[in-house]
Amino acid sequence: MSLTPMMRQYREIKSKLDGDTLLMFRLGDFYELFFEDAVMASQALDITLTGRDAGEAGRVPMCGVPHHALDGYLERLIEQGFRVAICDQVEDPKAAKGLVRREIVRIVTPGTAVAEESDARYLAALAFQGDEVGLALVDVGAGDVWFGAGSDEDVRDHVARFRPREILLEGAQASPDWLEETVKRHGAIVTRVPSPSGDAFLAHYNATSPEALGLRMGSAALSACNMAFQYLRDTQMASLCHLAPPRPLLEPGRMWLSERTVEHLELVPMGSGRDRRASLYDVIRETVTAAGSRLLRTWMLRPLTDRRAIEERLDAVTALADDSLLRAEIREALKGMHDLSRLLAKCSIGRATPRDLLALAHAIEKGEAAVALLPLEGPALFSRLTRDLPDFRPLAEHIARELVDDPPATATEGGIFRDGVDAEIDRLRSLQSEGRSWLRDFEARERERTGIKSLKIGYNKVFGYYIEVSKANLSLVPADYERKQTLASGERFTHPELKAREADMLTAAERVVELERARFESWIHRVREQASELQQFAEVVSTVDVLAGLAELAVKRGYVRPEVTDEIGMEIREGRHPVVEASLGAEFVPNDLVLTPDAPIVLLTGPNMGGKSTYMRQAALIAILAQMGSYVPARSARIGLVDRVFTRIGASDDLSRGQSTFMVEMTELAEILREASGRSLVLLDEIGRGTSTYDGLSIAEAVLEDLAERRHRPLTLFATHYHELISFSERFSCVRNQSMAVEETDTGIRFLHTVVMRPSDRSYGIQVARLAGLPDRVIRRAMEFLSAREVTPEVAAARDDRRERRREPQVREDGPVALDLFAAPYRDLVDWLAAQDVMRMTPLEAMQVLHEAAEKARDLVGWAKSR
Ligand SMILES: Nc1ncnc2c1ncn2[C@@H]1O[C@H](COP(=O)(O)OP(=O)(O)OP(=O)(O)O)[C@@H](O)[C@H]1O
């Protein structure tokens, strides 16, 4: 079938792309899509689907977006997981003989697009070698590159933490089991790529061997890096010289926090909209720049384990916390600073506009102003940061001197540079302005000569300059006017004198645009040449922002400087949970925590809602804050360095991963028991809850015993409802009982949120249920069931089996003394209740079950009475 030449060109270019990459084809002022692409894009972007004559194929579907609005539309497509190839006209249409030459100039993909946002946006590459998986992560916008390798699970953790938007896998490689779910959870796409050939990675960094970049020859990590860089080269088609040197994911001297720990401790925001829960990151973020916020997040997720490095940061924070004037000046200097890394990325991928160039200059000026404020005789970190830094002020000043105050958003229309910057540009501009004044004179002259008062000189792209005469005056038009165009209201003419001028003026205008563009490009080139030093400068500025932000946080929220030691243990006086405190304010009740090598295990009991989870998480958050170099919410804190934080805390979203709650619990527990060292902090919340009481209790007991009997016992906070475990402290001096205090009142109980150094005497489950508004009749029956259970022979026997009972059963005289739970009608209810899986229900369904339970219980009450 023969297509029009343009459509043939389109087809040829499209055939070079993967099937699912959309092609945006530049036609005049629009980027157009055709065929299936047009159908998909018109739906995705909610734009009108039209058609275009394609030759014998007839009309084919088409839709398009104006070229100046491309970025916005691209962003929307990328957000929906599309990959988009941009095809531009690569020669001047005026100079083209026949069809304009077009080429793909870049491919925009979810993992490589540079967006105007502060969040990181990663591209990941996975390379499999036997049991080892190599991983590379690149944030093109921020210029960050990370690499690492490990087990399938390690890599899953990294991927979950970095939340890449796009994951590269080799064509034939089978997907790891977890990939599909990760992709769903984080809205990423998987892109299949050819196996890496050559050394795109080494070539990018101009390195002769991988060792020079910290990688091993032939390693899985190196393959992943090669995959990522080959893909970047193929899609970006630009130098990407702004990318910082690659950094290992598992740097020595960093604390490792697994994905689950990050989630359990709510370090970063989770959920969205109304479900979005406040996180540590939200509370501690006092940075004033977007890049500073990104770095703060990195610090928080990768705390240090090297005491000296932590103290170096703490010294800097102290200096800034103590000097409020200096802190305010630094923060003021940085306020409103554009994202330097992102601007560098744009220069490096050739997408910077004149506006970006000026923004870059302003960002440098702001960064330099902030850095210049640092007292060099002050903390060592300040001088270390600034020691080898070139002075970028001359560069910034030079740019600002040359560019106009409000440069255009594209480099193609001139008006970028000030007068006096370039003699040739000035000369051409004055030619243009002379031309304009000549036009004014010419207009006046012609009005005079013809006597047509309303005669006007106008301009459009098709006809150039013209003389417009209204209908009423057409009879006065002189013979030397040549008719060009008829309008409803009059006619347009040219004149030889006007034509001659027009040629001069248009040439001058085109020449100016050309010269300005070339000058702009040479500026971008100069920036690119210094991209890696500028990127380093950007990181220094972000560090200053983070340090000043942490100092601000310390002062604003009354945090104290922790004492960080190489010993094992921690002593926190009047510690607070930073996030809960931020929402409760003065109502928050501070608590102490002392863990020593001799007594590293705390067994925490107390009612639901008593504050156990808060207390446990608080310990981990304080340790993380201290080790990232921040002050902490406490009256005082002495923190022995922690190598890892492990958490096993019932997570509500386990279900969304399709794993049973109990299975997840046990998998995590297994990891903790395998990997926790004597320097680890372990939080265990209600181990065993996911299974039957006695299985759960037995597992909890065995775990506690295992931890207590170790030579290197991890610092452990063990919250439990199993009161049976309380007696452990008699067997093991390393286990200390603590509980959340409760006050019993006439109407029920009141939570004091105070930690006391004794076990809780009861679990108060039913009282908490009453507080939650369970109907009185259900509460009453629950009390009856409870007292009955306490004397059921099976239960009593099972308990006696295990240990001496702490309390004698309280037989209530006014209630049914021995309710036979296994009598048929009760048994039905018990069986039915046992079959309910509340964790898999929506709140509404759970309410219905509760309602039904109450109904059934009421029936039973009636049945019992009737007996
Ligand atoms: N120290 C405190 N000061 C004031 N309020 C607190 C404190 N600790 C916890 N709370 C409040 O009590 C609520 C319950 O706390 P938390 O979830 O830690 O209890 P829990 O004992 O772990 O409960 P459950 O066993 O049901 O999980 C929190 O939402 C918080 O508002």
Side-chain angles (χ1 to χ4, degrees):
M1 191 161 38
S2 103
L3 295 169
T4 58
M6 198 214 56
M7 272 313 197
R8 268 208 306 280
Q9 186 186 40
Y10 170 86
R11 280 283 191 187
E12 193 192 316
I13 293 174
K14 174 83 184 164
S15 69
K16 293 184 193 146
L17 294 170
D18 278 347
D20 49 4
T21 304
L22 301 181
L23 176 60
M24 283 195 155
F25 193 75
R26 180 76 183 252
L27 270 187
D29 285 340
F30 279 78
Y31 283 98
E32 306 283 7
L33 298 106
F34 299 103
F35 301 99
E36 311 80 46
D37 283 8
V39 178
M40 273 193 282
S42 69
Q43 280 167 4
L45 298 172
D46 199 13
I47 54 177
T48 318
L49 184 66
T50 58
R52 184 183 176 99
D53 187 15
E56 280 177 22
R59 259 175 97 72
V60 301
M62 175 179 94
C63 69
V65 302
H67 76 100
H68 56 81
L70 177 67
D71 286 347
Y73 285 106
L74 274 179
E75 187 60 26
R76 283 168 59 193
L77 287 171
I78 299 304
E79 276 307 315
Q80 296 176 56
F82 286 101
R83 294 153 40 89
V84 188
I86 307 296
C87 174
D88 262 332
Q89 299 172 169
V90 290
E91 65 180 339
D92 186 346
K94 272 185 250 140
K97 293 193 191 74
L99 202 57
V100 186
R101 212 152 46 80
R102 292 184 173 85
E103 275 172 20
I104 292 174
V105 291
R106 65 193 163 114
I107 300 175
V108 188
T109 78
T112 60
V114 177
E116 306 286 338
E117 58 179 32
S118 63
D119 283 352
R121 178 185 280 227
Y122 284 98
L123 168 76
L126 300 181
F128 293 77
Q129 269 183 20
D131 287 343
E132 203 185 31
V133 189
L135 172 68
L137 288 151
V138 184
D139 180 349
V140 178
D144 286 335
V145 182
W146 301 90
F147 66 86
S151 69
D152 206 36
E153 228 161 77
D154 294 340
V155 169
R156 186 205 61 200
D157 261 356
H158 285 302
V159 168
R161 176 116 55 100
F162 282 84
R163 299 186 185 187
R165 302 278 180 100
E166 184 172 8
I167 300 172
L168 307 181
L169 274 188
E170 234 182 273
Q173 175 64 48
S175 299
D177 304 339
W178 47 267
L179 192 63
E180 192 185 337
E181 189 230 307
T182 303
V183 163
K184 252 205 310 230
R185 258 164 83 82
H186 306 311
I189 67 160
V190 172
T191 303
R192 295 282 174 175
V193 291
S195 45
S197 57
D199 284 322
F201 177 63
L202 292 191
H204 176 87
Y205 288 107
N206 253 333
T208 44
S209 76
E211 281 76 14
L213 296 167
L215 282 111
R216 254 183 317 110
M217 185 65 101
S219 63
L222 182 60
S223 299
C225 289
N226 271 323
M227 265 164 84
F229 276 75
Q230 191 165 307
Y231 185 69
L232 287 172
R233 197 181 55 197
D234 293 349
T235 54
Q236 303 302 297
M237 305 168 189
S239 77
L240 297 181
C241 51
H242 70 294
L243 293 182
R247 280 183 284 182
L249 283 163
L250 286 182
E251 276 167 289
R254 308 270 162 166
M255 193 198 289
W256 167 241
L257 299 171
S258 75
E259 178 204 1
R260 300 244 191 222
T261 302
V262 171
E263 277 184 23
H264 291 163
L265 295 177
E266 296 180 346
L267 296 184
V268 292
M270 267 176 310
S272 54
R274 278 178 50 203
D275 288 339
R276 190 182 187 280
R277 293 192 293 280
S279 67
L280 181 67
Y281 174 69
D282 297 317
V283 172
I284 65 172
R285 190 175 55 177
E286 291 289 344
T287 39
V288 292
T289 69
S293 302
R294 283 198 302 268
L295 186 65
L296 176 75
R297 196 182 154 110
T298 310
W299 281 23
M300 181 187 75
L301 293 177
R302 301 161 60 77
L304 304 173
T305 52
D306 178 66
R307 183 173 52 78
R308 248 172 288 172
I310 298 171
E311 278 170 354
E312 194 186 43
R313 283 186 188 173
L314 281 170
D315 287 344
V317 174
T318 301
L320 293 167
D322 290 350
D323 189 339
S324 49
L325 185 63
L326 172 64
R327 187 173 74 245
E329 281 175 346
I330 289 179
R331 286 159 55 81
E332 194 51 44
L334 293 176
K335 225 172 248 168
M337 176 176 164
H338 288 280
D339 197 327
L340 197 50
S341 299
R342 231 164 266 279
L343 292 167
L344 283 171
K346 282 180 141 185
C347 290
S348 135
I349 60 174
R351 301 275 304 142
T353 67
R355 223 169 260 176
D356 292 331
L357 182 61
L358 188 64
L360 180 99
H362 288 328
I364 294 175
E365 278 166 0
K366 281 185 159 289
E368 286 281 8
V371 170
L373 287 166
L374 297 178
L376 293 184
E377 68 292 354
L381 183 55
F382 290 161
S383 37
R384 194 163 62 74
L385 284 177
T386 48
R387 198 169 42 214
D388 302 320
L389 219 53
D391 184 355
F392 290 108
R393 270 171 300 193
L395 173 76
E397 282 160 14
H398 198 166
I399 295 174
R401 251 198 332 271
E402 288 210 355
L403 262 65
V404 296
D405 290 335
D406 185 16
T410 65
T412 50
E413 276 154 34
I416 307 171
F417 294 95
R418 294 179 197 274
D419 287 337
V421 166
D422 180 297
E424 182 60 7
I425 293 178
D426 287 351
R427 192 183 69 81
L428 293 165
R429 278 187 184 153
S430 72
L431 271 184
Q432 276 181 287
S433 72
E434 268 169 32
R436 276 192 293 276
S437 76
W438 180 87
L439 281 176
R440 274 193 299 279
D441 292 349
F442 179 72
E443 189 179 62
R445 234 175 32 232
E446 288 301 295
R447 280 184 186 160
E448 182 95 339
R449 177 163 81 100
T450 59
I452 308 171
K453 289 257 162 5
S454 60
L455 178 148
K456 269 195 318 226
I457 307 285
Y459 174 81
N460 73 22
K461 271 194 179 151
V462 184
F463 299 114
Y465 288 100
Y466 55 78
I467 306 165
E468 192 168 311
V469 179
S470 62
K471 244 186 190 155
N473 294 309
L474 287 177
S475 58
L476 298 173
V477 168
D480 54 357
Y481 278 22
E482 187 186 326
R483 178 168 308 131
K484 271 277 170 195
Q485 193 187 10
T486 305
L487 308 170
S489 57
E491 305 220 339
R492 288 175 176 173
F493 302 88
T494 59
H495 184 267
E497 226 179 314
L498 184 60
K499 260 197 194 149
R501 267 295 170 166
E502 175 184 292
D504 282 354
M505 285 178 65
L506 291 186
T507 329
E510 274 169 18
R511 206 47 212 128
V512 168
V513 166
E514 245 168 60
L515 286 176
E516 289 206 60
R517 190 183 174 135
R519 193 174 185 92
F520 172 71
E521 289 302 334
S522 86
W523 266 116
I524 296 296
H525 186 71
R526 276 171 75 177
V527 171
R528 264 190 220 151
E529 278 178 343
Q530 300 185 63
S532 67
E533 290 93 343
L534 278 166
Q535 190 65 268
Q536 210 180 325
F537 172 70
E539 182 151 346
V540 169
V541 176
S542 302
T543 308
V544 173
D545 186 18
V546 174
L547 292 168
L550 288 176
E552 180 72 15
L553 170 77
V555 175
K556 188 166 145 186
R557 298 209 181 260
Y559 289 5
V560 295
R561 177 172 175 152
E563 184 189 344
V564 179
T565 79
D566 289 320
E567 296 152 19
I568 289 185
M570 52 180 69
E571 182 180 337
I572 299 170
R573 297 292 169 193
E574 295 182 20
R576 283 120 52 200
H577 186 298
V579 183
V580 179
E581 182 195 29
S583 71
L584 288 186
E587 271 172 48
F588 190 89
V589 182
N591 278 305
D592 292 353
L593 172 68
V594 180
L595 299 171
T596 62
D598 293 336
I601 303 178
V602 165
L603 188 78
L604 194 59
T605 43
N608 299 83
M609 288 298 287
K612 297 187 297 299
S613 309
T614 307
Y615 179 67
M616 297 208 302
R617 286 192 169 110
Q618 170 177 318
L621 297 183
I622 288 177
I624 289 173
L625 283 172
Q627 290 186 219
M628 67 182 269
S630 167
Y631 279 28
V632 299
R635 186 164 59 79
S636 71
R638 189 176 152 82
I639 307 290
L641 287 171
V642 168
D643 63 355
R644 283 178 73 166
V645 176
F646 291 94
T647 53
R648 171 49 232 167
I649 294 175
S652 53
D653 62 355
D654 287 342
L655 295 176
S656 64
R657 302 173 195 213
Q659 273 175 298
S660 104
T661 325
F662 183 63
M663 194 62 198
V664 172
E665 182 178 335
M666 292 302 116
T667 318
E668 290 181 26
L669 195 55
E671 185 195 345
I672 296 174
L673 292 179
R674 222 175 28 241
E675 298 184 17
S677 80
R679 277 211 169 274
S680 304
L681 176 62
V682 175
L683 310 186
L684 298 175
D685 200 355
E686 303 203 14
I687 289 299
R689 180 156 77 167
T691 185
S692 75
T693 313
Y694 295 127
D695 285 0
L697 173 59
S698 313
I699 292 172
E701 259 182 308
V703 168
L704 189 56
E705 193 178 76
D706 181 81
L707 292 171
E709 282 178 345
R710 290 182 181 206
R711 204 152 79 88
H712 299 294
R713 294 176 293 246
L715 306 174
T716 307
L717 295 174
F718 195 111
T720 187
H721 278 303
Y722 298 126
H723 281 234
E724 289 81 350
L725 298 184
I726 287 169
S727 60
F728 254 79
S729 62
E730 291 158 23
R731 273 176 65 200
F732 295 101
S733 60
C734 61
V735 178
R736 206 177 274 164
N737 276 312
Q738 295 188 9
S739 63
M740 309 305 302
V742 199
E743 189 180 63
E744 290 202 55
T745 63
D746 297 344
T747 50
I749 51 165
R750 200 163 72 82
F751 304 117
L752 300 179
H753 302 302
T754 313
V755 174
V756 289
M757 303 300 279
R758 57 180 149 76
S760 158
D761 46 0
R762 287 201 282 140
S763 66
Y764 300 99
I766 298 179
Q767 286 84 341
V768 177
R770 170 180 284 150
L771 285 183
L774 225 62
D776 274 351
R777 53 178 191 282
V778 177
I779 296 291
R780 247 192 339 268
R781 287 300 286 162
M783 294 267 192
E784 286 166 7
F785 281 130
L786 177 68
S787 17
R789 293 198 63 159
E790 282 177 343
V791 292
T792 302
E794 291 87 339
V795 175
R799 286 191 181 171
D800 286 346
D801 241 18
R802 298 182 166 275
R803 72 179 46 78
E804 256 183 57
R805 301 195 46 175
R806 282 195 333 108
R807 274 186 304 136
E808 285 306 310
Q810 295 166 356
V811 181
R812 288 179 44 173
E813 284 173 5
D814 55 343
V817 173
L819 228 175
D820 180 4
L821 277 179
F822 297 95
Y826 287 105
R827 177 152 194 146
D828 287 349
L829 174 61
V830 173
D831 284 349
W832 178 79
L833 269 175
Q836 302 303 321
D837 187 354
V838 184
M839 293 302 283
R840 285 184 186 272
M841 292 179 192
T842 64
L844 196 63
E845 284 164 353
M847 286 295 290
Q848 269 161 357
V849 166
L850 191 57
H851 175 72
E852 229 175 292
E855 294 267 285
K856 286 184 196 246
R858 268 196 296 278
D859 289 349
L860 276 180
V861 174
W863 175 80
K865 280 194 183 135
S866 69
R867 274 207 307 175

